[in-house]
Amino acid sequence: MKTSLITTLSFLILTLATQPLLGISSNSEPVLDIIGNKVKSTLEYKLIPVLDGAGGFSTHLGTNGQCPLDVIQLSSPSERGDNLRLLPYDNYKIVKVSTDVNLRFPVKVSVKPCNEEPLWKVDSYDDPLIVTGGSEGHPGAETLINWFKIEKAGNFSYGGVYNIVHCPSVCLSCPRRCNKIGVSTKDGVRRLLLVGDHEPALNVLFFPSEESSRLLQAANAISRFFEAAEAISMTA
């Protein structure tokens, strides 16, 4: 009986040890900003697209001129867009790779006729545009469409380039759907949406907004950006 109990307990421990944790991958390294610092949930960031000839990110009325607002990429590289906060499912201060996060513009969206929360979500899996109006926190089956992950862009030798992915782990019993975020242009508007495996994904860098006035770190950031640009040209 004693041997049987020990065997059973050993099996249970091994099973629990090999199960993925809710909301997080075994790959728990921190996401790094363009300067090389850890991305934090308490700070705001600009998303900088990597050499796609467009600008930062903001919101726009939906495709039918109605709510919810679409999350878009601004067309001009000189337009840096809105700040963004990354909020991990476990309220941890450091944002980690492959971990579920809410993505939130810090200012409440109030574009007429919309007045909604500035949290990103997937509109629907049938029409997988990224829109605002999501609900913050409460990880689980009811909030799957509100969760995203930051993953390393595998085709870059430079480590600071990332993809944004919708692949929620906040519900282990729910069907898994994993897609990167890309861009689709219609009527001159670059809307974010989920894309297939063989479609181009959005590659981004994180620029800390609070650091923009610090000349030395800004210079380092520019240097790192051109390192990323060089890596891209080598893989083209």
Side-chain angles (χ1 to χ4, degrees):
M1 174 67 76
K2 183 177 180 180
T3 302
S4 177
L5 178 61
I6 293 174
T7 302
T8 301
L9 289 174
S10 299
F11 175 77
L12 289 174
I13 292 171
L14 179 61
T15 300
L16 291 173
T18 56
Q19 291 297 311
L21 295 176
L22 179 69
I24 190 169
S25 166
S26 58
N27 182 357
S28 58
E29 63 183 278
V31 176
L32 301 179
D33 65 23
I34 195 172
I35 301 168
N37 295 329
K38 296 175 182 178
V39 170
K40 297 180 180 180
S41 62
T42 54
L43 301 180
E44 296 179 6
Y45 296 86
K46 296 285 189 187
L47 285 186
I48 301 176
V50 179
L51 292 185
D52 67 350
F57 301 87
S58 187
T59 55
H60 189 278
L61 280 176
T63 52
N64 297 320
Q66 299 178 348
C67 307
L69 297 174
D70 293 337
V71 178
I72 66 164
Q73 183 181 20
L74 301 171
S75 57
S76 172
S78 64
E79 298 177 289
R80 296 192 175 184
D82 299 325
N83 292 342
L84 189 73
R85 287 186 63 196
L86 296 86
L87 307 171
Y89 80 101
D90 55 0
N91 298 316
Y92 195 61
K93 184 176 180 180
I94 303 300
V95 179
K96 296 184 178 182
V97 172
S98 303
T99 299
D100 284 298
V101 295
N102 288 147
L103 301 176
R104 184 185 184 93
F105 293 128
V107 179
K108 188 175 178 67
V109 178
S110 58
V111 177
K112 293 183 179 180
C114 304
N115 185 24
E116 57 192 16
E117 291 300 320
L119 195 95
W120 294 24
K121 68 177 183 179
V122 180
D123 191 18
S124 75
Y125 288 141
D126 293 327
D127 184 20
L129 291 172
I130 308 303
V131 299
T132 58
S135 300
E136 185 176 325
H138 305 289
E142 297 81 9
T143 62
L144 282 182
I145 59 174
N146 302 327
W147 296 100
F148 299 88
K149 293 178 179 178
I150 309 301
E151 303 284 6
K152 285 186 173 181
N155 54 331
F156 296 100
S157 59
Y158 171 72
V161 182
Y162 296 94
N163 299 136
I164 303 175
V165 179
H166 176 68
C167 187
S169 302
V170 292
C171 174
L172 298 181
S173 63
C174 297
R176 290 294 294 272
R177 172 163 183 165
C178 294
N179 295 88
K180 296 178 181 178
I181 289 182
V183 177
S184 176
T185 302
K186 183 178 180 180
D187 299 328
V189 180
R190 297 173 59 87
R191 291 180 168 86
L192 272 59
L193 76 169
L194 303 183
V195 296
D197 292 340
H198 302 293
E199 297 176 273
L202 188 63
N203 301 301
V204 297
L205 304 164
F206 292 93
F207 192 101
S209 296
E210 68 172 14
E211 304 288 3
S212 59
S213 63
R214 299 177 65 175
L215 296 180
L216 179 59
Q217 289 195 333
N220 290 336
I222 292 171
S223 175
R224 297 286 291 273
F225 179 81
F226 280 106
E227 289 178 15
E230 182 180 0
I232 294 169
S233 63
M234 292 177 64
T235 60

